[in-house]
Amino acid sequence: MALGLRDRKRRTAMRHIQRIALDLFDERGFQNVLVENIAEAAEVSPSTVYRYFGTKEGIVLADDFDTLNEAELAAVIDVTDLAGTVRAIVARFEPKPDQHNPEGSLAHRRIRYFFDEPSVRRSSYEMLANAVDRIAPILARSGRLTTTEAHIKSSALVFGYFSALEQWHRNPAGRSISRALDDALGVLNRL
């Protein structure tokens, strides 16, 4: 689905603010950077940062998935191949080994804070629970799963994805995020 000009400008501004914030976090440490510092460096007002992200932790956690409306989310989810859906979503954010992708670089930089910064990690659990709450009704409406089954399956996929990211972050050993995800999905399939 094509984005309108306003949405494209908003996403561009959000990515710019994220890059500036990550630069500051890397330089000074997450706890030593205020939203006001980020706003000043990004040449926006603090209220703009809060409007886009809500919190400093939200700057790290926000991605394009969060901006999908229900129809767009339903279009992304293949209820007959949920593992494939997760793989496709990850592939959109991870750069290919043979090409430079600044968005992939941004994603990799953000992942470190998911696991190394306690306040971001705590906030990430709320974000994951919200993702489950957005995905489960779509799965249930497919008629293939009960409401309970849809919630359990979406929880397993969302939190399984997060676990795969953590395993990749803790021990990348030359593996791509996609490979770590495949390993996690294999474990979930065996369960």
Side-chain angles (χ1 to χ4, degrees), residues 1 3 6-12 14-15 18 51-53 58 61-73 76 92-93 127 134:
M1 186 174 291
L3 294 174
R6 180 178 294 176
D7 287 333
R8 287 193 312 270
K9 284 185 174 186
R10 182 175 199 260
R11 287 184 182 182
T12 299
M14 289 176 73
R15 286 185 190 113
Q18 280 183 313
R51 184 175 59 249
Y52 286 161
F53 302 104
L61 296 171
D63 62 28
D64 288 343
F65 177 84
D66 302 326
T67 64
L68 297 177
N69 64 37
E70 188 174 343
E72 292 168 325
L73 185 57
V76 171
R92 290 167 64 178
F93 297 105
M127 175 199 68
R134 293 179 66 203

Side-chain angles (χ1 to χ4, degrees), residues 115-183:
F115 304 108
D116 292 345
E117 185 56 48
S119 65
V120 175
R121 186 175 182 105
R122 282 189 300 275
S123 294
S124 70
Y125 291 129
E126 182 178 352
M127 175 199 68
L128 295 168
N130 289 338
V132 168
D133 289 343
R134 293 179 66 203
I135 294 167
I138 294 168
L139 299 182
R141 279 194 300 275
S142 74
R144 295 174 179 265
L145 301 169
T146 67
T147 301
T148 300
E149 291 169 336
H151 190 81
I152 291 168
K153 197 161 210 174
S154 62
S155 292
L157 285 170
V158 168
F159 283 92
Y161 165 72
F162 192 70
S163 179
L165 280 181
E166 183 173 21
Q167 295 311 307
W168 172 82
H169 171 68
R170 299 284 181 229
N171 186 20
R175 292 186 311 165
S176 66
I177 293 172
S178 295
R179 181 70 197 138
L181 178 62
D182 283 341
D183 292 347

